[in-house]
Amino acid sequence: MTHKAMILSVALAGSAMALPQAASACTLITLQQSPATLNYDPFSGLPQSVNFSIRLTNACGPGVLNENRFVSVWFSDEIDVKRDKTIGGVLFDIKRNNESVLYTAADTQPPFGLITLPFDPNDASAGYKDFDYVLTLPAGQAAQSARKSVLLRYRYQNESHTVVEGRLEIPLTLEVKPSFDLRLADTGGLTGEIDLGTFSGSDATRELRLRIGATVPFKISMHSTQGSVLRRTSTCGLAAAPTSDRAEQIDYSAFLGAQALSTSVPFSREQTTLEETGQRIDLPFKILVPGFNPIERRAGQYCDVITLKIEPKS
């Protein structure tokens, strides 16, 4: 079972600032107040995205823009750059109409990203409009909590055909919360069976492989339907009545990797699986039945049902 809890918050805040050559001192662009929040699961097999908006406002009244009535808007990753277009080790992008509008300081000026403003320059009223963008992250990334900022940049010409440029700093927050994945490695399923065969008296060992994913240090606890023994039963999965009759039960031991696992001793790991492999880890889950004299057991089917639970290590 997977517990998904990762939030990517894009806090949109800032104030418009025109470069010295600007002919207008009033605000052209303001930002929508609500932030964008993305629940990102590093164990999901699908890319994840969220929409967010900016608000373009003509607070200057008519005559601020030239007759073409457009402003070029794009995003630039040029603040505190350790690796271009990444946050917390995860590649990200910002798109409009399925085209990227995220650049770096080394990129040339964007050839697209022109947005027609929603007002007529001859209209005496101020106009505004919200424009949608999409923040996207690829699937299956070994993310770490992090903060960074990108610039929203814009350019237009005023009524004197003077180029006006401005920028807004937009902080991005990537928060990774506990997320877990525990399933069979071979099938990807959540249930499986270990067939121990017919007991002949010697040790019997069987195993299957588990695939484990965790974004925080974790533990795996074990629950047994039959009290950590194999019990003689006609229907496997139904708990048999407690009995001290040794002829009705067979002892076994369980191991996850090289560590013994029981109902009282969980498997624990200080590292996340992301730190170990960048994704999940595979470990053998082994059952060992010590040798015994079959004559001392009544004939029949013996079984137990084990449930494994993964959760944060306390």
Side-chain angles (χ1 to χ4, degrees):
M1 182 179 295
T2 304
H3 302 277
K4 305 174 181 177
M6 174 177 168
I7 297 176
L8 173 63
S9 298
V10 183
L12 304 181
S15 59
M17 176 183 66
L19 297 185
Q21 70 269 34
S24 172
C26 50
T27 301
L28 174 67
I29 296 181
T30 59
L31 292 179
Q32 193 171 344
Q33 297 302 310
S34 58
T37 301
L38 174 63
N39 293 319
Y40 182 79
D41 177 13
F43 303 123
S44 170
L46 298 174
Q48 295 157 67
S49 63
V50 66
N51 293 336
F52 68 96
S53 299
I54 64 168
R55 176 166 292 181
L56 304 186
T57 302
N58 174 24
C60 305
V64 174
L65 300 186
N66 68 0
E67 61 275 9
N68 292 320
R69 290 180 294 154
F70 64 74
V71 57
S72 181
V73 180
W74 69 97
F75 296 83
S76 181
D77 185 12
E78 56 184 273
I79 304 175
D80 189 24
V81 176
K82 296 181 180 178
R83 182 183 173 196
D84 286 343
K85 301 182 181 180
T86 64
I87 179 171
V90 180
L91 287 169
F92 72 97
D93 201 358
I94 298 175
K95 295 183 178 182
R96 176 170 168 78
N97 297 330
N98 293 321
E99 291 191 273
S100 177
V101 289
L102 177 65
Y103 296 84
T104 68
D107 290 327
T108 58
Q109 298 299 336
F112 48 83
L114 300 181
I115 301 174
T116 302
L117 287 176
F119 59 87
D120 188 322
N122 297 317
D123 188 346
S125 64
Y128 72 88
K129 186 175 181 179
D130 294 334
F131 292 89
D132 293 329
Y133 291 89
V134 181
L135 176 68
T136 66
L137 283 84
Q141 300 299 300
Q144 297 178 346
S145 296
R147 293 174 181 268
K148 74 176 301 179
S149 293
V150 296
L151 289 179
L152 184 150
R153 305 187 64 152
Y154 62 90
R155 179 187 297 113
Y156 65 94
Q157 288 184 343
N158 63 15
E159 75 283 4
S160 301
H161 298 278
T162 301
V163 174
V164 179
E165 294 189 358
R167 62 182 66 189
L168 294 164
E169 184 173 329
I170 301 180
L172 307 179
T173 300
L174 179 64
E175 184 179 353
V176 183
K177 292 188 176 181
S179 183
F180 305 98
D181 191 34
L182 177 61
R183 61 188 65 246
L184 301 179
D186 294 337
T187 66
L190 300 177
T191 60
E193 180 180 359
I194 296 178
D195 186 354
L196 294 163
T198 301
F199 299 119
S200 61
S202 58
D203 290 354
T205 302
R206 299 288 190 278
E207 70 177 50
L208 49 75
R209 297 191 69 79
L210 300 181
R211 183 153 295 163
I212 304 164
T215 62
V216 296
F218 64 97
K219 67 179 180 180
I220 297 177
S221 55
M222 169 178 153
H223 175 267
S224 164
T225 301
Q226 306 293 357
S228 299
V229 295
L230 298 170
R231 294 208 176 182
R232 193 169 75 96
T233 178
S234 59
T235 305
C236 192
L238 296 180
T243 177
S244 59
D245 187 353
R246 295 291 297 169
E248 295 281 332
Q249 60 190 46
I250 298 172
D251 295 329
Y252 71 85
S253 298
F255 299 86
L256 184 53
Q259 181 178 327
L261 180 66
S262 69
T263 55
S264 59
V265 180
F267 174 92
S268 63
R269 205 73 159 219
E270 294 295 338
Q271 278 187 310
T272 72
T273 62
L274 299 180
E275 291 173 325
E276 290 193 45
T277 66
Q279 266 294 311
R280 302 168 177 85
I281 59 173
D282 288 358
L283 291 177
F285 177 66
K286 181 172 67 174
I287 297 296
L288 168 64
V289 178
F292 63 93
N293 187 350
I295 298 176
E296 298 175 353
R297 302 295 189 274
R298 295 186 179 91
Q301 174 183 250
Y302 289 77
C303 77
D304 189 13
V305 175
I306 293 172
T307 302
L308 301 177
K309 178 183 179 182
I310 184 170
E311 57 189 333
K313 184 179 184 297
S314 57

